[in-house]
Amino acid sequence: MSDLFDIIKAEIQSDGPITVARYMELALAHPEHGYYMKQDPFGEEGDFTTAPEISQMFGEMIGLWTAVVWQAMGQPDPLNLVEMGPGRGTLMADALRAAYAMEDFDDAARLWLIETSPALRAKQKVAMTPSLMMPAWRDRFEDVGSGPLVVIGNEFFDALPIRQYERVEDGWRERLVGLNTAGDALTFTISSELADSSLIPEDLRDATETGGIFEHQPAACAVMRQVAARIVEHGGAALFIDYGHGEHGVGDTLQAVQNHEFSDVLANPGDADLTAHVDFQQLSEVAREAGAEVLGPVPQGAFLERLGMRQRADMLMMNASEEQMAEIDAAYARLTDSEQMGALFKVIAVVPPGFGVPPWAG
Ligand code: SAH
């Protein structure tokens, strides 16, 4: 078993079973052995492929969105442009190239990359060089300087730790990770104490059958609360794209992916990506509580089409070989078709009250 298994085992032996959130935190973010800390997981040779790695068109559409929002804000200078969890930096590099088409945008924008992984910060540095924008890296959103801002996050929330609660006869109990009797593998168990059921949305609290699981996203909600509060105070907008559901529900969505295939969630901590579906209703409620307005969720396919990705694809095809044309078509379909990423992936925008509903969010 891995070093990380031994660390988790020692923690369970000393303190008892750990929450799913603690397990995710160790598996993804342990400073030495965490999944994101030690490697670049993206692309065909990695474990999974994200939208910006499929085609430059994705980042370009986000760049266009950013430029349009900056214009709607009255072109503040400086503008804090923030990306949460930028991965390899591909999205931001493509977005900047597109946003630079808007006059004066390059002078106004200050780029902040929120990234905890040293391995990925190094990749982002390489991606940013040709774009002529030197970013400032920070571990946390709180450390971004004050002033108007645009925040972008693609597949960021799905990587943050969740807690799981299971409906039992007499209420709800937290799902935990413990050790099997032989002590050589991790296994799911359940808390001996009842959970505070006010955490469970009212419409699910009593209506859920025994064994049903509700997922709470404390880490994602904390980030959303801060982002929304900052947008209300200083002006701006945030755009989050992720896979998940528009309304909260019951179900275990924790999953592990390794080499482009699903694997056992507890089998390879630190060597497999762990994610959970994003509950956009939970995040929207938090943003509204902080005084912001939430637009969407809009399916990713519709969002990209409204921003003009078809026209962009046609333009790219004008100078393309047969082979490249087929690639552009395939990427377009992968990003927009509802059987592929077009419907499961959704987009929400967080804006100050009275921002109005822009055409891409309608
Ligand atoms: N946006 C990129 C990468 C998504 S993967 C893309 O679309 O390709 C998730 C990213 O979030 C990685 O860069 C990971 O290192 C980063 N990350 C995960 N947890 C984080 C945290 N708590 N704070 C900051 N970054 C985090």
Side-chain angles (χ1 to χ4, degrees):
M1 269 296 198
S2 67
D3 293 340
L4 195 52
F5 171 77
D6 291 337
I7 291 167
I8 296 171
K9 179 176 169 175
E11 188 164 320
I12 295 172
Q13 282 174 330
S14 133
D15 303 340
I18 57 175
T19 63
V20 170
R22 177 66 181 154
Y23 174 70
M24 282 182 86
E25 190 184 325
L26 288 167
L28 295 176
H30 183 278
E32 207 180 327
H33 307 293
Y35 179 75
Y36 283 114
M37 292 301 160
K38 56 184 191 186
Q39 60 217 326
D40 169 5
F42 307 102
E44 264 169 51
E45 278 155 32
D47 291 317
F48 58 95
T49 306
T50 56
E53 305 298 333
I54 292 172
S55 166
Q56 67 185 74
M57 295 185 288
F58 185 80
E60 288 170 352
M61 292 304 114
I62 308 287
L64 199 62
W65 179 89
T66 303
V68 170
V69 165
W70 177 63
Q71 203 172 37
M73 288 162 70
Q75 306 198 337
D77 181 356
L79 168 78
N80 291 309
L81 177 56
V82 187
E83 186 178 358
M84 313 288 298
R88 282 181 171 175
T90 311
L91 187 161
M92 189 48 75
D94 292 334
L96 287 174
R97 277 190 292 106
Y100 283 173
M102 179 85 79
E103 208 180 334
D104 300 328
F105 181 86
D106 55 341
D107 283 336
R110 306 277 179 280
L111 183 58
W112 304 81
L113 301 181
I114 311 303
E115 176 61 68
T116 39
S117 160
L120 290 173
R121 279 188 182 197
K123 293 269 174 188
Q124 292 154 19
K125 195 167 181 183
V126 174
M128 285 309 131
T129 315
S131 68
L132 302 176
M133 172 88 87
M134 263 324 286
W137 279 272
R138 295 290 182 269
D139 281 338
R140 304 173 317 155
F141 174 77
E142 297 97 290
D143 301 330
V144 170
S146 67
L149 73 169
V150 168
V151 181
I152 308 291
N154 184 61
E155 289 208 47
F156 171 69
F157 284 137
D158 68 42
L160 299 186
I162 59 155
R163 296 177 78 156
Q164 292 188 324
Y165 296 90
E166 189 174 320
R167 175 74 213 191
V168 291
E169 283 296 313
D170 51 347
W172 291 81
R173 286 173 199 258
E174 183 155 16
R175 203 173 181 222
L176 302 172
V177 176
L179 285 171
N180 67 354
T181 22
D184 58 4
L186 299 171
T187 179
F188 282 110
T189 150
I190 196 157
S191 170
S192 54
E193 286 167 28
L194 280 180
D196 170 7
S197 61
S198 68
L199 276 170
I200 316 298
E202 252 174 69
D203 53 326
L204 302 179
R205 210 174 287 158
D206 298 322
T208 301
E209 287 182 26
T210 307
I213 286 179
F214 174 73
E215 296 181 331
H216 183 229
Q217 310 170 118
C221 287
V223 172
M224 180 55 104
R225 196 170 292 119
Q226 288 164 4
V227 169
R230 192 72 88 85
I231 282 169
V232 171
E233 190 182 348
H234 295 279
L239 187 75
F240 290 109
I241 304 141
D242 230 307
Y243 59 105
H245 30 278
E247 287 173 15
H248 56 221
V250 169
D252 171 15
T253 73
L254 185 62
Q255 64 183 39
V257 169
Q258 209 171 355
N259 297 324
H260 298 268
E261 286 183 7
F262 289 113
S263 63
D264 182 335
V265 168
L266 300 181
N268 303 303
D271 292 327
D273 187 35
L274 282 183
T275 59
H277 283 207
V278 169
D279 175 347
F280 285 100
Q281 182 173 355
Q282 217 173 113
L283 292 179
S284 301
E285 281 167 7
V286 166
R288 290 191 184 108
E289 276 161 26
E293 273 179 19
V294 177
L295 313 173
V298 175
Q300 172 173 299
F303 175 77
L304 294 173
E305 273 159 11
R306 284 175 206 161
L307 279 167
M309 199 166 88
R310 182 71 260 166
Q311 289 84 328
R312 180 61 184 145
D314 292 343
M315 255 177 78
L316 288 172
M317 286 203 195
M318 286 198 304
N319 297 314
S321 65
E322 291 270 322
E323 198 186 331
Q324 287 167 331
M325 279 163 89
E327 274 172 23
I328 295 166
D329 262 337
Y332 188 89
R334 202 164 157 196
L335 292 170
T336 59
D337 274 4
S338 46
E339 297 79 44
Q340 301 197 56
M341 293 175 79
L344 177 59
F345 281 76
K346 298 174 181 67
V347 184
I348 54 170
V350 178
V351 293
F355 195 83
V357 180
W360 37 264

